[in-house]
Amino acid sequence: ITIIITSLAMEEQLALVDVHTDTVADTWPLVLEAVQRASFIALDLELSGLGSTYTQADFEVRYKIMRDVADSHAVLSLGVACFQWVELHSSSQQISCEVEVFNIWLLSQRPYVIDPQSSKFLINHGFDFNKQFAKGLPYSPGFSEGVRPTDHTPQALLAHILTSKKPVVFHNGLVDVLFLYHSFYTSLPPSSNSFLADLTELFQGGAYDTKAIAEYKMGETASYLEYIFRKSQKENAQLKAEGRLHLVLRPAGCPSRDGASYMQLVSITPPPVPTADEIAKIQLCQTFASYGFCNNGGCQLCHDVMVVLAQEGVWEAVCRERRKRKRAKRKARLKEQREE
């Protein structure tokens, strides 16, 4: 399970295949082939909004709120990453995995709500609304009868993924699964019990949520995606430097696809890490550090995940030194007691 989290973060560049109305004839077969080859599949949705708060403790109440949100909003794009285990090199202490990544632009044919806060977040992270409206694959929410994998629709792709019975990985997956179900399968049922029962049948290969794993299995101090991504990347690099078992992730694909107009190399090289002197002078926004966002438009504090990790590293070093001194004192006392 830990490997599922860290497997997103190991190479400096990954190939991204752009799927939209101009490229779908060439790229759709690649998506279907990648799903068939995959050992597991990661899905990520970009949405037109999340509505009002849905943090109520009662799950049934939260489900009904999110059901209404899924009905009034739309899926703007679907990210599909297909991972295939390649080999374990025991001599070099590395696990190899190939990945094919697809960004599928979508355009709902039904009127939908766009939340300003969500739009701002997407734009700040490079989302191109002009491209989405101009080239998104048109779809109508709900299930289409007689759907075939070769149909260029998200319903066809979801059916292909589910029938492959491959494990599917999400981050903060409840929201994504609700939208997948309502947009590309059928209308969400009135109660959460029926919804959860359907999920068991749909995801026969298993569904995993890296946010839940990070919070409840690994005990991370934060669980937003960028934090988990960069921390996993950092830890994997440390394992490699120490000659311990680590992951090597490389783009998949045949040479004939290189340079194709629909493929681009995306850099995931980590940004520079601040020096100790720089860290000491930086005032970090604690809201951002904890949740990965800050709704205070006038906030002048730092919103940089690398600073978050660097400050954590400094604090961990301080804690290690304190534990080291305590152990030394304990050993000294024991020695004195034995000598007495």
Side-chain angles (χ1 to χ4, degrees), residues 28 30 47 51 76 92 114 135 150-151 196 203 214 226 259 281:
W28 200 258
L30 305 183
L47 309 171
L76 306 180
S92 57
I114 300 179
K135 299 183 178 183
T150 51
D151 294 339
L196 295 173
F203 293 95
E226 186 180 14
K281 299 174 184 177

Side-chain angles (χ1 to χ4, degrees), residues 252-260 263:
C254 62
S256 62
R257 296 179 194 169
D258 293 347
M263 183 178 290

Side-chain angles (χ1 to χ4, degrees), residues 5-6 8 10 12 44 75 86 99-100 112 141 170 172 174 177 187 204 217 225 246 253 262 264 291:
I5 295 179
T6 60
L8 297 172
M10 305 312 136
E12 293 185 355
D44 181 49
V75 180
V86 180
V99 61
E100 297 174 90
Y112 57 88
F170 299 92
N172 197 15
L174 177 61
V177 171
S187 298
Q204 294 187 33
K217 295 294 184 182
L225 186 56
H246 62 283
Y262 51 74
Q264 57 179 309
Y291 305 107

